[in-house]
Amino acid sequence: MNLETITHIPEKQARKTPLLFVHGMWHGAWCWDEFFLPYFAEHGWHVTALSLRGHSGSEGNIRGNKIMDYVHDVEQAAGQFEAPPVLIGHSMGGFVTQKYLERNPAPAGALLASVPPYGLWNSLVQVLKYDARILLRAIAQWRLYPAVETPEVARWALFSEDISEEQLMKYYPKMEDESFRVLIDLLGLNLAHPKKVTTPLLVLGGESDTVIPPVDVRKTARAYDTEAEIFPNMAHDMMLEKGWKDVADRIMGWLQDRGM
């Protein structure tokens, strides 16, 4: 499958381990290219972000996709590196990363505001509390775009309340649909199995995340025998929030501590 990728190669290759970034629902590789890809390339890493099938510039349709379709996309992208990459996944991309690591080796992985291994039930409750009509429209249309179909809803789901209107309207038009079938996987049809994963994981979350609240981030960390790190005043889109550099610095330091 023809998958869109965005790659930054450092001017001086200082790191042997490449990094592969996996986006979440409604996003594409573009969300990593805003800050994270230039940042990590500047610090010596060969970095690539992919757009999962049907997203942004990648081949295929979104409707009907399953979680394992996205895992296969990550396997395809990871196979292009000379050495196994570190995987850094956000939200649904964090869950895809967990499923990838059940069956593939990697030197390390980072989960940012990741869907927990036991699925999205708590997140579904948060959406229902905010506006039950979102879920009703999603079911009626058999797609997940209603969760980001207006700037106001996208702000609630993804960003801090104090995000500027200019920044919100820079990102909002890039948001796209997501497969309802994926939601079914994330509600129980294809959950993750932490005991199958031996890769060391860094688990990060945002204090102000309305979609994946800190309680879920901490449970994810415990499932992988580690401690969650929660960033204050941070919402769901940790790679686009104004405190993005604090998140990137933490990932960089963690990788450096492991000689990567």
Side-chain angles (χ1 to χ4, degrees), residues 86-117:
V86 169
L87 266 69
I88 300 172
H90 171 252
S91 194
M92 178 190 72
F95 188 89
V96 172
T97 295
Q98 294 171 59
K99 297 297 291 184
Y100 172 92
L101 295 175
E102 289 179 9
R103 47 193 263 166
N104 295 280
L111 306 179
L112 278 60
S114 176
V115 173

Side-chain angles (χ1 to χ4, degrees), residues 124-241:
L124 200 63
V125 170
Q126 303 309 314
V127 173
L128 287 170
K129 288 180 178 178
Y130 173 72
D131 188 345
R133 293 171 297 178
I134 293 173
L135 181 59
L136 294 176
R137 287 195 294 269
I139 294 172
Q141 299 173 21
W142 200 248
R143 66 195 192 115
L144 296 183
Y145 187 69
V148 293
E149 67 183 346
T150 68
E152 292 73 22
V153 174
R155 182 197 298 269
W156 173 82
L158 304 173
F159 301 109
S160 295
E161 292 183 2
D162 62 354
I163 186 175
S164 70
E165 193 69 19
E166 179 183 4
Q167 189 178 16
L168 177 64
M169 295 313 298
K170 178 180 182 180
Y171 302 140
Y172 167 72
K174 299 180 181 181
M175 302 294 171
E176 51 196 328
D177 202 1
E178 186 52 73
S179 167
F180 195 91
R181 178 62 175 77
V182 161
L183 177 62
I184 295 174
D185 279 343
L186 297 178
L187 291 177
L189 194 59
N190 191 3
L191 299 180
H193 304 282
K195 291 184 179 179
K196 294 183 179 180
V197 176
T198 58
T199 300
L201 291 175
L202 177 67
V203 180
L204 308 177
E207 178 186 45
S208 304
D209 193 333
T210 57
V211 178
I212 307 291
V215 61
D216 284 323
V217 179
R218 293 189 176 99
K219 287 180 180 179
T220 296
R222 286 198 294 270
Y224 291 102
D225 296 320
T226 188
E227 294 289 331
E229 299 181 37
I230 306 299
F231 287 77
N233 304 315
M234 180 76 68
H236 187 65
D237 268 14
M238 302 179 73
M239 64 288 182
L240 295 174
E241 286 278 281

Side-chain angles (χ1 to χ4, degrees), residues 51-64:
S51 294
L52 300 169
R53 64 183 66 191
H55 295 75
S56 295
S58 287
E59 181 183 3
N61 296 315
I62 288 176
R63 185 176 290 269

Side-chain angles (χ1 to χ4, degrees), residues 75-87:
E75 289 174 338
Q76 177 180 322
Q80 304 303 309
F81 293 100
E82 294 182 0
V86 169
L87 266 69

